[in-house]
Amino acid sequence: MANNILFFTALKANDPNMLAYQEWSLKTWQHYADRFGHKLIVLQDPLYDTEWMRPTWQRWYVYEILEHNNIEYDQVALIDIDTMVRWDTPDIFELSEGKYAGSIDDLSIEWIFNSVNGYKEYFPGVDLQWDRYINNGVLVLPKEGGKEFCKKVTDFYLENVDSLRDKQHVSLKKGTDQTPINYLALETFGEDIKYLSKKFNMTHMYKTHAFIEDIYIRCSYIWHFNGLPRDQRDAFMKATWEKIKHNYGN
């Protein structure tokens, strides 16, 4: 039976604290998967050395991983392991309308603007604007063409690996896959992209003061604990779980 897939990347080499905070993430997402009949998959073993290819790039082998493991699938979502989902969140696959879908990320204009300009050389004919820049923490891949798009992503990395690694670690330092993916998605899907409400990827919550009075829990559906020091994510996510766990049957 084919299910919609919630695909997470939790490579041990990426972040030693991930072994702790992924517990709170997956408790919420398993509940979500069970509500809607989706299947939750976690990539835990790297396909390549994680310095040569960061985990954020390795997740784009999702369709090859599913097929190698004989897992039938319908639509696929890529979700960061430092997220938690509220107990009453609507089905993001229905909201995506079968399209490539994600939430706009515009909280650090400097970072986005310079990242977009820094990767522009690979995409001279693509006009990516900062106000249509999607955060990769919660992405729904299209029902038609998702597999082909992922192949396009991995081919792009392998064809440009040396210069991309230089930009990631030395010369630019403005992210790994996120900006190239934004370019590739715009190049591939054009206007046929579904922009989800930011309620479905509440990012950088410390910047927006969303932690005050637990506003983030009350005003959004998916909480993304990015931007926090990695050694603090477990504490924030565990504290969140303790406040809300009764809503998940715990």
Side-chain angles (χ1 to χ4, degrees):
M1 176 182 176
N3 297 91
N4 291 323
I5 304 295
L6 304 170
F7 189 85
F8 298 79
T9 303
L11 302 186
K12 300 178 180 66
N14 186 38
D15 177 4
N17 301 288
M18 184 183 295
L19 295 174
Y21 66 70
Q22 69 174 326
E23 177 181 357
W24 322 117
S25 174
L26 296 178
K27 281 180 182 292
T28 65
W29 281 106
Q30 187 60 65
H31 176 271
Y32 185 81
D34 293 342
R35 279 180 63 211
F36 294 111
H38 304 327
K39 190 175 184 64
L40 189 152
I41 303 290
V42 183
L43 175 64
Q44 295 180 312
D45 298 314
L47 306 175
Y48 297 98
D49 176 81
T50 54
E51 287 302 315
W52 185 78
M53 179 184 283
R54 303 301 294 163
T56 47
W57 284 103
Q58 295 193 35
R59 61 182 161 182
W60 293 96
Y61 286 95
V62 55
Y63 290 97
E64 293 182 37
I65 293 167
L66 294 174
E67 292 175 2
H68 178 76
N69 289 279
N70 298 313
I71 298 172
E72 296 183 22
Y73 57 84
D74 189 6
Q75 205 165 350
V76 175
L78 303 179
I79 302 172
D80 282 3
I81 201 71
D82 60 351
T83 62
M84 299 175 73
V85 60
R86 203 170 77 178
W87 57 93
D88 59 348
T89 299
D91 189 350
I92 56 174
F93 290 105
E94 288 191 10
L95 293 172
S96 76
E97 301 174 353
K99 300 179 180 181
Y100 183 90
S103 300
I104 288 175
D105 185 350
D106 59 2
L107 290 182
S108 180
I109 305 304
E110 177 277 326
W111 192 98
I112 294 170
F113 184 79
N114 285 324
S115 186
V116 168
N117 285 339
Y119 283 100
K120 177 67 175 177
E121 65 181 271
Y122 299 104
F123 308 97
V126 182
D127 184 24
L128 176 61
Q129 296 293 317
W130 65 267
D131 62 345
R132 283 295 179 265
Y133 184 91
I134 289 176
N135 183 279
N136 280 3
V138 181
L139 283 176
V140 184
L141 301 178
K143 190 175 182 69
E144 301 295 334
K147 180 178 177 180
E148 292 77 11
F149 178 69
C150 286
K151 182 65 164 58
K152 183 175 183 178
V153 170
T154 55
D155 284 349
F156 170 80
Y157 184 84
L158 296 176
E159 291 165 4
N160 300 283
V161 58
D162 291 336
S163 61
L164 287 171
R165 292 185 72 242
D166 176 77
K167 285 188 183 294
Q168 290 167 182
H169 303 296
V170 181
S171 60
L172 184 61
K173 295 184 178 180
K174 297 293 183 183
T176 57
D177 71 322
Q178 186 162 272
T179 301
I181 295 304
N182 269 272
Y183 271 113
L184 288 165
L186 183 59
E187 181 180 65
T188 303
F189 305 116
E191 297 299 318
D192 199 28
I193 292 175
K194 178 71 175 182
Y195 294 97
L196 301 176
S197 163
K198 295 177 78 167
K199 292 180 179 180
F200 292 91
N201 191 355
M202 175 68 75
T203 60
H204 293 283
M205 293 184 285
Y206 75 100
K207 288 184 177 180
T208 57
H209 308 294
F211 288 128
I212 296 174
E213 299 177 349
D214 295 335
I215 288 173
Y216 68 107
I217 295 175
R218 294 152 50 199
C219 78
S220 59
Y221 289 122
I222 299 175
W223 315 309
H224 196 169
F225 294 83
N226 62 337
L228 292 168
R230 288 181 172 179
D231 60 358
Q232 294 182 25
R233 288 181 190 171
D234 178 53
F236 273 90
M237 294 174 73
K238 181 178 181 181
T240 299
W241 174 250
E242 292 300 324
K243 294 171 184 176
I244 64 176
K245 64 183 180 181
H246 62 280
N247 295 292
Y248 299 82
N250 290 274

